[in-house]
């Protein structure tokens, strides 16, 4: 399976969420501020990237996150509305590369790059179980 046959540069998706208390750094680390946690922002960036291409994958194929290079530029409080985007910027045989960004209103709160690997779900699961 070659991703270049069906994934195209420019494909994109957007996700929006209202920051809940359980996605803050203070939820995970007592004594820290109740602001949107960097790993939670990265999760949304990965999910937006996956959303951008999921409907174009052949049955039985999925993508898994393989690389992240993210900057968290600004804090967002509980209740803030955050919009995250993922856009395909390069396609290799088995790797799809994305530009990702996060915003609270017009203010950019994060950006960077993310890569997802194309894998056959059945083979991937068998390999993990054999592990």
């Amino acid at each position: 399976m070659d991703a270049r046959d069906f994934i195209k540069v420019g494909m994109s998706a957007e996700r929006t969420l209202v920051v809940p208390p359980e996605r803050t750094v203070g939820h995970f680390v007592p004594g820290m501020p109740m602001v949107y946690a960097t790993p939670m922002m990265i999760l949304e960036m990965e999910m937006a990237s996956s959303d951008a291409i999921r409907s174009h994958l052949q049955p039985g194929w999925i993508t898994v996150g393989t690389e992240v290079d993210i900057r968290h530029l600004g804090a967002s409080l509980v209740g803030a509305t955050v919009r995250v985007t993922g856009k395909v910027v390069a396609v290799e045989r088995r790797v799809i590369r994305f530009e990702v960004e996060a915003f609270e209103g017009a203010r950019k709160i994060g950006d960077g790059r993310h890569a997802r690997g194309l894998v056959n779900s059945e083979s991937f699961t068998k390999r993990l179980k054999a592990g």
Side-chain angles (χ1 to χ4, degrees):
M1 174 79 46
D2 189 328
R4 295 171 293 192
D5 294 337
F6 50 90
I7 303 298
K8 304 299 176 200
V9 169
M11 290 178 170
S12 65
E14 178 177 297
R15 297 176 66 89
T16 302
L17 87 142
V18 176
V19 177
E22 59 273 10
R23 293 225 178 162
T24 64
V25 68
H27 173 77
F28 296 103
V29 182
M32 291 296 288
M34 295 297 284
V35 295
Y36 195 34
T38 302
M40 298 294 99
M41 182 183 72
I42 293 169
L43 171 64
E44 287 298 316
M45 290 171 161
E46 287 201 41
M47 292 172 67
S49 298
S50 180
D51 290 350
I53 60 173
R54 183 180 300 110
S55 66
H56 300 278
L57 300 180
Q58 302 297 314
W61 290 81
I62 59 171
T63 60
V64 295
T66 59
E67 296 176 32
V68 290
D69 181 10
I70 304 299
R71 298 184 311 160
H72 196 164
L73 304 169
S76 297
L77 296 170
V78 170
T81 299
V82 173
R83 179 176 55 88
V84 178
T85 61
K87 179 180 176 183
V88 176
V89 294
V91 184
E92 301 163 20
R93 184 175 161 273
R94 283 290 188 72
V95 177
I96 301 101
R97 299 189 183 281
F98 299 84
E99 176 182 280
V100 292
E101 296 180 302
F103 298 88
E104 180 185 338
R107 180 174 66 104
K108 185 186 284 191
I109 62 165
D111 64 15
R113 294 179 301 277
H114 171 51
R116 300 192 67 75
L118 179 65
V119 298
N120 178 279
S121 183
E122 184 178 330
S123 300
F124 183 72
T125 303
K126 281 182 185 175
R127 197 167 55 246
L128 289 175
K129 288 181 179 177

